[in-house]
Amino acid sequence: YQEQFRLHPAVMSAGLSLRREAPPPRSVRLAKLDQIAVPNGWLPASPAEFFNPETLYEKIDGKADLYLASGFQGLESRRFQGTEDAGRWFELFLYDMKSPRNAYAVFSAQQRAGAVPLDFTEYGYRADNALFFCQGPYYVELVGSSDEAALLEAMRTWAREFALETETPAPELAELSAFPLENKATPWPRLQVQNGLGCEAMRNIFLAEYRVEGRDVTVFVTRQDSEAEAVKALAAYDSFLKEEGAVEEPGFAVLP
């Protein structure tokens, strides 16, 4: 254990250093995290970690593309542990997504089954041992070591304080009013910023799943800048479907 900290004389003479590079500068938004009080009975277990678009994959390998496609700016993460039991901990992930709409995009894409809505924010829920919500340009995750009530309450306390301290505008999501409330299979429609439904021409697509008469139905809405742009998007999607082998059923037609 001690030997690993003793540099070989050849290394010392070469003027090399084993110290890690300093983390990238914080954005103005991420710096606000230090203003949020740590819940009673908890303390930071590690220094904060910072990730930018080039290094995000180091923290969430496999999911980075979703965030990058939705306007990701930076991530700050940190772990907290119980003062009386270091084995009890929760980790915080604060994603700066640049705009409320982008934050909603990743929040809606990450929805988990069994969501229990949070009472202090419009877009947030608890699932198992974790909390998820978006607040202004931030998407936030808190993941605990277990689902015990005291741990979940500590995470909820931090999340509620962050929501109160972060005075930011709500996302402009007028498209959500187009979705019927009955028979919805998920609480929040998903927003796909790019390549909606797998079609490159479709952008800013809101999708919701429904269960109707025993069948799964997907409904989507995309708002365009003009009627002409809407017709153009519809034609592009129609062509995309046919290229993928779709065939129109009798009695149905694509209408502008």
Side-chain angles (χ1 to χ4, degrees):
Y1 173 80
Q2 294 178 348
E3 196 64 27
Q4 64 180 309
F5 299 106
R6 298 173 182 171
L7 295 181
H8 190 278
V11 176
M12 297 297 292
S13 63
L16 301 179
S17 173
L18 297 184
R19 284 189 289 179
R20 297 180 61 185
E21 294 183 5
R26 300 184 184 196
S27 70
V28 174
R29 294 192 178 115
L30 291 180
K32 193 176 182 65
L33 182 60
D34 290 335
Q35 301 176 19
I36 310 303
V38 180
N40 292 333
W42 299 82
L43 52 80
S46 64
E49 294 183 288
F50 302 90
F51 302 88
N52 57 34
E54 289 72 35
T55 61
L56 178 61
Y57 74 92
E58 297 177 3
K59 187 66 174 179
I60 56 168
D61 190 22
K63 292 185 178 181
D65 288 346
L66 167 65
Y67 293 86
L68 295 174
S70 301
F72 171 79
Q73 301 293 298
L75 164 65
E76 181 173 356
S77 67
R78 193 168 196 177
R79 180 171 293 199
F80 298 85
Q81 67 183 32
T83 54
E84 298 181 359
D85 181 4
R88 299 169 65 229
W89 56 264
F90 67 88
E91 188 167 5
L92 164 70
F93 299 81
L94 176 64
Y95 296 88
D96 180 352
M97 299 303 302
K98 190 177 181 179
S99 74
R101 194 177 181 90
N102 291 345
Y104 178 85
V106 293
F107 163 77
S108 61
Q110 299 281 58
Q111 290 183 73
R112 294 189 180 184
V116 179
L118 300 175
D119 60 1
F120 58 83
T121 181
E122 185 175 1
Y123 306 112
Y125 64 96
R126 175 184 67 79
D128 298 326
N129 62 325
L131 271 63
F132 309 86
F133 67 99
C134 55
Q135 184 74 16
Y138 311 105
Y139 169 58
V140 188
E141 295 181 348
L142 295 96
V143 182
S145 56
S146 72
D147 60 355
E148 64 171 298
L151 177 54
L152 292 174
E153 182 56 31
M155 294 193 296
R156 183 180 178 278
T157 297
W158 189 97
R160 184 175 61 246
E161 184 69 16
F162 178 83
L164 292 173
E165 291 292 331
T166 308
E167 298 180 0
T168 54
E172 296 180 3
L173 303 172
E175 294 91 337
L176 297 186
S177 63
F179 292 94
L181 298 178
E182 295 183 357
N183 303 316
K184 285 178 65 176
T186 54
W188 298 277
R190 291 177 286 118
L191 169 56
Q192 295 182 349
V193 178
Q194 299 181 16
N195 297 320
L197 299 165
C199 178
E200 186 176 352
M202 300 288 276
R203 299 175 179 271
N204 295 313
I205 309 299
F206 287 82
L207 306 99
E209 284 74 33
Y210 291 82
R211 186 71 175 174
V212 181
E213 297 180 355
R215 293 186 176 184
D216 294 325
V217 179
T218 298
V219 177
F220 74 88
V221 174
T222 173
R223 186 173 185 173
Q224 304 296 315
D225 294 333
S226 66
E227 182 178 351
E229 289 296 320
V231 172
K232 182 179 178 181
L234 176 61
Y237 184 56
D238 179 56
S239 297
F240 167 76
L241 291 178
K242 292 175 179 177
E243 290 174 358
E244 294 296 317
V247 178
E248 290 186 18
E249 292 189 9
F252 291 85
V254 176
L255 301 176

